[in-house]
Amino acid sequence: DVKINTSRKTLTVFFSDIKSFTTITEKLEPEILTDLITNYLTEMTNIAIKYGGTVDKYIGDAIMIFFGDPNTKGKKEDAISCIAMALEMRSRLKFLRKAWKSAGLSESLDVRMGIHTDVCTVGNFGSQDRLDYTVLGNGVNLASRLESSANANEILISENTYNVIKSYFKCNFFKEINIKGRSHSIKTYKVEEKISKEERMQTIQINRDGFSISIDKDRVKDVSEIVTLLENSIEKLTD
């Protein structure tokens, strides 16, 4: 039995849409447009399912996906899976562009993606006659805003998500954006690529307000010297 039932959970929410899609639709016959968008959504959905994402809905060319419900591997693993999914989606676009071009479309298939990790309300919402399994909350709105703020073929993530996945993916600071209903601006980051296991083993990077440390294990010749420096720093900090 499907009933109105919701809960609060930490989720990673993903939004994507095709840039200038309205312009594209005006240049294609309905049958061709239907085939192209169906192929695109199918390819993206298959990738989402591969990484364990829950496809919430399609809004025209836009896709909403979330990680963390009904199944979760934990906050970090859910966020990592979402970023890995987005990177594979971006890579897959290279092949889909060929199909769009062969259909006579001069515009490139460019997609914007936004990702945010936050506590959201998830479950069955709706009327007594019709229910929709979906997610609500400020976290959803922020993920949508990140997507609209991204440039073509960029994966834009919030600071919340960045803090969770920064040891696993190379990211660059993008800018701070203002969100309606929030008193402070949100730092955003662009996802570049996955950090290999070997790279993670070689480098230690920690960043906090007023504190930063970076250690390249390959270049450290005397570990005891580094340990001494760290111990001296701790003593000064606690004096």
Side-chain angles (χ1 to χ4, degrees), residues 17-25 27-28 33 36-37 40 61 90-112 151-154:
D17 79 340
I18 299 174
K19 183 181 178 182
S20 304
F21 185 69
T22 302
T23 303
I24 293 174
T25 60
K27 297 183 178 182
L28 294 176
L33 175 64
L36 290 177
I37 197 64
Y40 164 75
D61 62 302
R90 186 167 68 179
S91 177
R92 187 61 185 167
L93 291 175
K94 298 175 184 177
F95 300 93
L96 293 176
R97 286 189 185 101
K98 296 180 180 179
W100 288 59
K101 189 174 182 180
S102 63
L105 191 64
S106 58
E107 285 82 358
S108 176
L109 174 58
D110 296 320
V111 176
R112 300 175 298 191
N151 295 320
N153 305 313
E154 280 186 351

Side-chain angles (χ1 to χ4, degrees), residues 22-183:
T22 302
T23 303
I24 293 174
T25 60
E26 295 172 351
K27 297 183 178 182
L28 294 176
E29 294 297 325
E31 295 80 6
I32 297 175
L33 175 64
T34 300
D35 288 342
L36 290 177
I37 197 64
T38 299
N39 183 39
Y40 164 75
L41 292 176
T42 299
E43 292 277 358
M44 298 300 105
T45 300
N46 288 339
I47 294 172
I49 293 172
K50 173 184 174 181
Y51 286 92
T54 299
V55 179
D56 186 299
K57 59 175 66 73
Y58 308 113
I59 311 168
D61 62 302
I63 310 173
M64 177 181 170
I65 301 167
F66 59 86
F67 288 74
D69 195 79
N71 301 311
T72 179
K73 296 179 181 178
K75 178 180 177 179
K76 178 184 288 187
E77 290 301 321
D78 289 341
I80 290 172
S81 295
C82 185
I83 302 295
M85 174 199 72
L87 285 171
E88 183 164 334
M89 285 179 169
R90 186 167 68 179
S91 177
R92 187 61 185 167
L93 291 175
K94 298 175 184 177
F95 300 93
L96 293 176
R97 286 189 185 101
K98 296 180 180 179
W100 288 59
K101 189 174 182 180
S102 63
L105 191 64
S106 58
E107 285 82 358
S108 176
L109 174 58
D110 296 320
V111 176
R112 300 175 298 191
M113 305 181 191
I115 298 172
H116 175 57
T117 303
D118 209 340
V119 176
C120 304
T121 303
V122 60
N124 297 310
F125 296 87
S127 66
Q128 295 296 333
D129 298 320
R130 176 171 176 169
L131 296 176
D132 186 16
Y133 173 58
T134 188
V135 183
L136 299 179
N138 289 330
V140 178
N141 299 332
L142 179 50
S144 178
R145 174 63 190 279
L146 288 167
E147 174 262 304
S148 62
S149 299
N151 295 320
N153 305 313
E154 280 186 351
I155 303 168
L156 198 61
I157 65 175
S158 66
E159 186 176 17
N160 278 19
T161 303
Y162 171 74
N163 288 334
V164 177
I165 60 86
K166 62 185 178 182
S167 297
Y168 297 85
F169 299 91
K170 293 180 181 178
C171 304
N172 293 321
F173 176 75
F174 181 54
K175 65 179 181 180
E176 293 190 15
I177 60 175
N178 295 313
I179 304 296
K180 186 178 180 180
R182 289 181 179 251
S183 59

